[in-house]
Short mmCIF file of all heavy atoms in Angstrom, two decimals:
data_model
loop_
_atom_site.label_atom_id
_atom_site.label_comp_id
_atom_site.label_asym_id
_atom_site.label_seq_id
_atom_site.Cartn_x
_atom_site.Cartn_y
_atom_site.Cartn_z
N PRO F 1577 89.08 97.38 84.92
CA PRO F 1577 90.33 98.09 85.26
C PRO F 1577 91.25 97.31 86.17
O PRO F 1577 92.41 97.67 86.31
CB PRO F 1577 89.82 99.37 85.93
CG PRO F 1577 88.53 99.00 86.54
CD PRO F 1577 87.93 98.00 85.64
N PHE F 1578 90.75 96.25 86.82
CA PHE F 1578 91.54 95.58 87.87
C PHE F 1578 91.93 94.14 87.52
O PHE F 1578 92.86 93.63 88.12
CB PHE F 1578 90.75 95.54 89.17
CG PHE F 1578 90.16 96.87 89.57
CD1 PHE F 1578 88.81 97.10 89.57
CD2 PHE F 1578 91.01 97.91 89.93
CE1 PHE F 1578 88.29 98.33 89.90
CE2 PHE F 1578 90.49 99.16 90.29
CZ PHE F 1578 89.12 99.36 90.28
N GLY F 1579 91.25 93.52 86.58
CA GLY F 1579 91.46 92.08 86.37
C GLY F 1579 92.39 91.75 85.24
O GLY F 1579 92.63 90.56 84.97
N VAL F 1580 92.95 92.73 84.56
CA VAL F 1580 93.77 92.46 83.38
C VAL F 1580 95.20 92.98 83.56
O VAL F 1580 95.42 93.96 84.24
CB VAL F 1580 93.13 93.08 82.13
CG1 VAL F 1580 91.76 92.50 81.88
CG2 VAL F 1580 93.06 94.60 82.22
N LYS F 1581 96.13 92.36 82.89
CA LYS F 1581 97.55 92.70 83.03
C LYS F 1581 97.95 93.88 82.15
O LYS F 1581 98.77 94.70 82.52
CB LYS F 1581 98.41 91.49 82.67
CG LYS F 1581 99.92 91.79 82.61
CD LYS F 1581 100.68 90.57 82.13
CE LYS F 1581 102.18 90.82 82.13
NZ LYS F 1581 102.56 91.85 81.13
N SER F 1582 97.35 93.95 80.95
CA SER F 1582 97.89 94.84 79.93
C SER F 1582 97.10 96.10 79.74
O SER F 1582 95.86 96.13 79.86
CB SER F 1582 97.94 94.06 78.61
OG SER F 1582 98.32 94.92 77.56
N LEU F 1583 97.80 97.20 79.43
CA LEU F 1583 97.13 98.43 79.01
C LEU F 1583 96.78 98.40 77.53
O LEU F 1583 96.08 99.25 77.03
CB LEU F 1583 98.02 99.63 79.29
CG LEU F 1583 98.07 100.14 80.72
CD1 LEU F 1583 99.02 101.31 80.86
CD2 LEU F 1583 96.67 100.54 81.22
N GLY F 1584 97.28 97.42 76.82
CA GLY F 1584 96.98 97.28 75.41
C GLY F 1584 95.72 96.51 75.19
O GLY F 1584 94.86 96.36 76.09
N THR F 1585 95.53 95.99 73.98
CA THR F 1585 94.33 95.26 73.62
C THR F 1585 94.69 93.84 73.21
O THR F 1585 95.46 93.63 72.29
CB THR F 1585 93.63 95.98 72.45
OG1 THR F 1585 93.35 97.30 72.83
CG2 THR F 1585 92.32 95.28 72.11
N PHE F 1586 94.14 92.86 73.90
CA PHE F 1586 94.32 91.45 73.59
C PHE F 1586 95.77 91.03 73.51
O PHE F 1586 96.15 90.24 72.66
CB PHE F 1586 93.62 91.14 72.23
CG PHE F 1586 92.14 91.41 72.22
CD1 PHE F 1586 91.64 92.52 71.57
CD2 PHE F 1586 91.28 90.56 72.89
CE1 PHE F 1586 90.29 92.78 71.57
CE2 PHE F 1586 89.92 90.84 72.90
CZ PHE F 1586 89.43 91.94 72.23
N LEU F 1587 96.58 91.54 74.36
CA LEU F 1587 98.00 91.18 74.28
C LEU F 1587 98.65 91.31 75.65
O LEU F 1587 98.85 92.41 76.12
CB LEU F 1587 98.71 92.09 73.24
CG LEU F 1587 100.11 91.67 72.85
CD1 LEU F 1587 100.11 90.31 72.19
CD2 LEU F 1587 100.73 92.69 71.89
N CYS F 1588 98.96 90.18 76.24
CA CYS F 1588 99.57 90.20 77.57
C CYS F 1588 100.96 90.80 77.58
O CYS F 1588 101.47 91.18 78.62
CB CYS F 1588 99.64 88.76 78.13
SG CYS F 1588 98.27 88.39 79.24
N ALA F 1589 101.61 90.85 76.43
CA ALA F 1589 103.01 91.31 76.39
C ALA F 1589 103.10 92.82 76.47
O ALA F 1589 104.19 93.38 76.60
CB ALA F 1589 103.66 90.81 75.12
N ASN F 1590 101.98 93.54 76.40
CA ASN F 1590 102.03 94.99 76.41
C ASN F 1590 102.36 95.53 77.82
O ASN F 1590 102.53 94.78 78.77
CB ASN F 1590 100.68 95.57 75.94
CG ASN F 1590 100.57 95.51 74.43
OD1 ASN F 1590 101.40 94.95 73.75
ND2 ASN F 1590 99.54 96.15 73.91
N GLN F 1591 102.38 96.87 77.90
CA GLN F 1591 102.71 97.53 79.15
C GLN F 1591 101.80 97.08 80.28
O GLN F 1591 100.58 96.89 80.09
CB GLN F 1591 102.52 99.05 78.96
CG GLN F 1591 102.75 99.87 80.20
CD GLN F 1591 102.45 101.35 79.95
OE1 GLN F 1591 102.18 101.73 78.82
NE2 GLN F 1591 102.50 102.15 80.98
N ASP F 1592 102.34 96.89 81.46
CA ASP F 1592 101.58 96.42 82.59
C ASP F 1592 100.53 97.45 83.03
O ASP F 1592 100.75 98.67 82.98
CB ASP F 1592 102.47 96.10 83.76
CG ASP F 1592 103.22 94.80 83.59
OD1 ASP F 1592 102.83 94.05 82.64
OD2 ASP F 1592 104.13 94.52 84.36
N ASN F 1593 99.37 96.95 83.43
CA ASN F 1593 98.31 97.78 83.99
C ASN F 1593 98.64 98.14 85.40
O ASN F 1593 98.75 97.27 86.28
CB ASN F 1593 97.00 96.97 83.92
CG ASN F 1593 95.86 97.63 84.65
OD1 ASN F 1593 95.91 98.83 84.96
ND2 ASN F 1593 94.82 96.88 84.91
N PRO F 1594 98.80 99.43 85.73
CA PRO F 1594 99.16 99.81 87.11
C PRO F 1594 98.09 99.52 88.13
O PRO F 1594 98.35 99.54 89.35
CB PRO F 1594 99.40 101.33 86.99
CG PRO F 1594 98.61 101.77 85.81
CD PRO F 1594 98.66 100.60 84.85
N ARG F 1595 96.85 99.23 87.68
CA ARG F 1595 95.78 98.96 88.62
C ARG F 1595 95.66 97.46 88.95
O ARG F 1595 94.85 97.11 89.83
CB ARG F 1595 94.45 99.44 88.05
CG ARG F 1595 94.30 100.95 88.03
CD ARG F 1595 92.88 101.33 87.59
NE ARG F 1595 92.62 102.71 87.86
CZ ARG F 1595 91.39 103.24 87.84
NH1 ARG F 1595 90.37 102.48 87.52
NH2 ARG F 1595 91.20 104.51 88.10
N TYR F 1596 96.41 96.63 88.25
CA TYR F 1596 96.29 95.20 88.57
C TYR F 1596 96.87 94.95 89.98
O TYR F 1596 98.01 95.30 90.25
CB TYR F 1596 97.06 94.37 87.56
CG TYR F 1596 96.81 92.87 87.72
CD1 TYR F 1596 95.62 92.31 87.30
CD2 TYR F 1596 97.75 92.05 88.34
CE1 TYR F 1596 95.38 90.95 87.46
CE2 TYR F 1596 97.51 90.71 88.52
CZ TYR F 1596 96.34 90.16 88.09
OH TYR F 1596 96.07 88.83 88.26
N PRO F 1597 96.08 94.37 90.87
CA PRO F 1597 96.54 94.20 92.26
C PRO F 1597 97.79 93.32 92.36
O PRO F 1597 97.82 92.25 91.76
CB PRO F 1597 95.36 93.55 92.97
CG PRO F 1597 94.16 93.87 92.10
CD PRO F 1597 94.70 93.88 90.70
N THR F 1598 98.75 93.76 93.14
CA THR F 1598 99.94 92.95 93.34
C THR F 1598 99.70 91.82 94.34
O THR F 1598 100.31 90.77 94.23
CB THR F 1598 101.10 93.84 93.84
OG1 THR F 1598 100.69 94.50 95.01
CG2 THR F 1598 101.46 94.85 92.75
N ALA F 1599 98.84 92.05 95.31
CA ALA F 1599 98.53 91.03 96.31
C ALA F 1599 97.40 90.15 95.83
O ALA F 1599 96.35 90.62 95.34
CB ALA F 1599 98.16 91.67 97.63
#
Side-chain angles (χ1 to χ4, degrees):
F1578 310 112
V1580 299
K1581 173 185 183 293
S1582 174
L1583 281 178
T1585 304
F1586 300 105
L1587 192 60
C1588 262
N1590 281 9
Q1591 177 185 355
D1592 283 348
N1593 170 17
R1595 288 186 166 194
Y1596 188 77
T1598 56

